[in-house]
Structure formats: structure tokens, C-alpha cells
Coordinates of all heavy atoms in Angstrom, one line a residue:
V1 N 0.8 -1.2 0.0 CA 0.0 0.0 0.0 C 0.9 1.2 0.0 O 1.9 1.3 0.8 CB -0.9 0.0 1.3 CG1 -1.7 1.3 1.3 CG2 -1.8 -1.3 1.2
T2 N 0.6 2.2 -0.8 CA 1.4 3.4 -0.9 C 1.2 4.4 0.2 O 2.1 5.1 0.6 CB 1.2 4.1 -2.3 OG1 -0.2 4.4 -2.4 CG2 1.6 3.2 -3.5
S3 N 0.0 4.4 0.8 CA -0.3 5.3 1.8 C -0.6 4.6 3.1 O -1.4 3.7 3.2 CB -1.5 6.2 1.5 OG -2.0 7.0 2.6
Y4 N 0.1 5.0 4.2 CA -0.1 4.4 5.5 C -1.5 4.7 6.0 O -2.0 4.1 7.0 CB 1.0 4.7 6.5 CG 1.1 6.2 6.9 CD1 0.2 6.8 7.8 CD2 2.0 7.0 6.3 CE1 0.3 8.1 8.2 CE2 2.1 8.3 6.7 CZ 1.3 8.8 7.6 OH 1.4 10.2 8.0
G5 N -2.1 5.8 5.5 CA -3.5 6.1 5.9 C -4.5 5.0 5.7 O -5.5 4.8 6.4
V6 N -4.2 4.2 4.6 CA -5.1 3.1 4.2 C -5.1 2.1 5.4 O -6.1 1.5 5.8 CB -4.6 2.5 2.9 CG1 -5.4 1.2 2.6 CG2 -4.8 3.5 1.8
V7 N -3.9 1.8 5.9 CA -3.7 0.9 7.0 C -4.4 1.4 8.2 O -5.2 0.6 9.0 CB -2.3 0.6 7.3 CG1 -2.1 -0.3 8.5 CG2 -1.6 0.0 6.1
G8 N -4.2 2.7 8.5 CA -4.9 3.3 9.7 C -6.4 3.2 9.6 O -7.0 2.9 10.6
W9 N -6.9 3.5 8.4 CA -8.4 3.4 8.3 C -8.9 1.9 8.4 O -9.9 1.6 9.1 CB -8.8 3.9 6.9 CG -10.3 3.8 6.6 CD1 -10.9 3.2 5.6 CD2 -11.3 4.3 7.4 NE1 -12.2 3.2 5.6 CE2 -12.5 4.0 6.7 CE3 -11.4 5.1 8.5 CZ2 -13.8 4.3 7.2 CZ3 -12.7 5.4 9.1 CH2 -13.8 5.1 8.4
A10 N -8.1 1.0 7.9 CA -8.5 -0.5 8.0 C -8.5 -0.9 9.5 O -9.4 -1.6 9.9 CB -7.5 -1.3 7.2
C11 N -7.5 -0.4 10.2 CA -7.4 -0.8 11.7 C -8.6 -0.2 12.4 O -9.1 -0.8 13.3 CB -6.1 -0.3 12.2 SG -4.6 -1.2 11.6
T12 N -9.0 1.0 12.1 CA -10.1 1.7 12.7 C -11.4 0.9 12.5 O -12.2 0.7 13.4 CB -10.2 3.1 12.2 OG1 -9.0 3.9 12.6 CG2 -11.5 3.8 12.9
Q13 N -11.5 0.5 11.3 CA -12.8 -0.3 10.8 C -12.8 -1.6 11.7 O -13.9 -2.0 12.1 CB -12.8 -0.5 9.4 CG -13.1 0.7 8.6 CD -13.2 0.5 7.0 OE1 -12.2 -0.1 6.5 NE2 -14.3 0.8 6.4
V14 N -11.7 -2.3 11.8 CA -11.6 -3.6 12.5 C -12.0 -3.4 13.9 O -12.8 -4.1 14.5 CB -10.2 -4.2 12.3 CG1 -10.1 -5.4 13.2 CG2 -10.0 -4.6 10.9
R15 N -11.4 -2.3 14.5 CA -11.7 -2.0 16.0 C -13.2 -1.8 16.2 O -13.8 -2.3 17.2 CB -10.9 -0.9 16.5 CG -9.4 -1.3 16.7 CD -8.7 -0.2 17.5 NE -8.5 1.0 16.7 CZ -7.4 1.3 15.9 NH1 -6.5 0.5 15.9 NH2 -7.4 2.5 15.3
R16 N -13.8 -1.0 15.3 CA -15.2 -0.8 15.5 C -16.0 -2.1 15.3 O -17.0 -2.3 16.0 CB -15.7 0.3 14.4 CG -15.1 1.7 14.7 CD -15.5 2.6 13.6 NE -15.1 4.0 13.8 CZ -15.1 5.0 12.9 NH1 -15.6 4.8 11.8 NH2 -14.7 6.2 13.3
K17 N -15.6 -2.9 14.4 CA -16.4 -4.1 14.1 C -16.2 -5.1 15.3 O -17.1 -5.8 15.6 CB -15.8 -4.8 12.8 CG -16.8 -5.8 12.2 CD -16.2 -6.2 10.8 CE -17.1 -7.2 10.1 NZ -18.4 -6.7 9.7
L18 N -15.0 -5.1 15.9 CA -14.8 -5.9 17.1 C -15.8 -5.6 18.2 O -16.2 -6.4 19.0 CB -13.3 -5.8 17.6 CG -12.3 -6.4 16.7 CD1 -10.9 -6.0 17.2 CD2 -12.4 -7.9 16.8
T19 N -16.1 -4.2 18.3 CA -17.0 -3.8 19.4 C -18.4 -4.1 19.1 O -19.2 -4.4 19.9 CB -16.8 -2.3 19.5 OG1 -15.5 -1.9 19.9 CG2 -17.7 -1.8 20.7
A20 N -18.8 -4.1 17.8 CA -20.2 -4.2 17.3 C -20.6 -5.6 17.0 O -21.9 -5.9 17.2 CB -20.4 -3.3 16.1
E21 N -19.7 -6.5 16.6 CA -20.1 -7.8 16.2 C -19.4 -8.9 17.0 O -18.2 -9.1 16.8 CB -19.8 -7.9 14.6 CG -20.6 -6.9 13.8 CD -20.4 -7.1 12.3 OE1 -20.0 -8.2 11.9 OE2 -20.6 -6.1 11.6
R22 N -20.2 -9.7 17.7 CA -19.6 -10.7 18.5 C -19.0 -11.8 17.7 O -17.9 -12.3 18.1 CB -20.8 -11.3 19.4 CG -20.2 -12.4 20.3 CD -21.4 -12.9 21.3 NE -21.9 -11.8 22.1 CZ -22.9 -11.9 23.0 NH1 -23.5 -13.1 23.1 NH2 -23.3 -10.9 23.7
Q23 N -19.6 -12.3 16.6 CA -19.0 -13.4 15.9 C -17.7 -13.0 15.2 O -16.8 -13.8 15.1 CB -20.1 -13.8 14.8 CG -21.3 -14.6 15.3 CD -20.8 -15.8 16.1 OE1 -21.1 -16.0 17.3 NE2 -20.2 -16.7 15.4
F24 N -17.7 -11.7 14.7 CA -16.5 -11.2 14.1 C -15.3 -11.2 15.2 O -14.2 -11.7 14.9 CB -16.7 -9.9 13.5 CG -15.4 -9.2 13.0 CD1 -14.9 -9.6 11.8 CD2 -14.8 -8.2 13.6 CE1 -13.8 -9.0 11.2 CE2 -13.6 -7.6 13.1 CZ -13.1 -8.0 11.9
K25 N -15.7 -10.7 16.4 CA -14.7 -10.7 17.4 C -14.2 -12.1 17.8 O -13.0 -12.3 18.0 CB -15.3 -10.1 18.7 CG -14.3 -9.9 19.9 CD -15.1 -9.2 21.0 CE -14.1 -9.1 22.2 NZ -14.7 -8.5 23.4
K26 N -15.1 -13.1 17.8 CA -14.6 -14.5 18.1 C -13.6 -15.0 17.0 O -12.7 -15.7 17.4 CB -15.8 -15.4 18.1 CG -16.7 -15.2 19.4 CD -17.9 -16.2 19.4 CE -18.7 -16.1 20.7 NZ -19.8 -17.0 20.8
R27 N -13.8 -14.7 15.8 CA -13.0 -15.1 14.7 C -11.6 -14.4 14.8 O -10.6 -15.2 14.7 CB -13.5 -14.8 13.3 CG -14.9 -15.5 13.0 CD -15.3 -15.1 11.6 NE -14.6 -15.9 10.6 CZ -14.7 -15.8 9.2 NH1 -15.7 -14.9 8.8 NH2 -14.1 -16.5 8.4
V28 N -11.6 -13.2 15.2 CA -10.3 -12.5 15.4 C -9.6 -13.1 16.6 O -8.3 -13.3 16.6 CB -10.5 -11.0 15.5 CG1 -9.2 -10.3 15.8 CG2 -11.1 -10.4 14.2
E29 N -10.3 -13.3 17.6 CA -9.7 -13.9 18.8 C -9.2 -15.3 18.6 O -8.1 -15.6 19.1 CB -10.7 -13.9 20.0 CG -11.1 -12.5 20.5 CD -12.1 -12.6 21.6 OE1 -12.8 -13.6 21.7 OE2 -12.3 -11.6 22.3

């Protein structure tokens, strides 16, 4: 990826999804 902002935005989306979706959180765990 040419811009580190893409990674930052992806990480933010994942953190939000971890809080909102239990099944998604279980898969990441």
C-alpha cells in the first residue's frame, strides 16, 4: 500500500467491528 493512511483506516474499521459484532470478534480472537 502506498499510503499508510489506508492501514490506519483499516485498523479503525476492524476495531469498530470488534466492538459491534460478537461473531467477528470471536474469529479474530
Side-chain angles (χ1 to χ4, degrees):
V1 177
T2 56
S3 170
Y4 64 80
V6 173
V7 177
W9 176 239
C11 292
T12 298
Q13 289 182 306
V14 171
R15 284 193 292 268
R16 289 176 177 171
K17 200 174 179 67
L18 287 171
T19 303
E21 298 183 20
R22 181 177 298 179
Q23 287 302 119
F24 177 75
K25 182 179 180 181
K26 287 183 177 180
R27 295 183 79 182
V28 175
E29 289 176 343

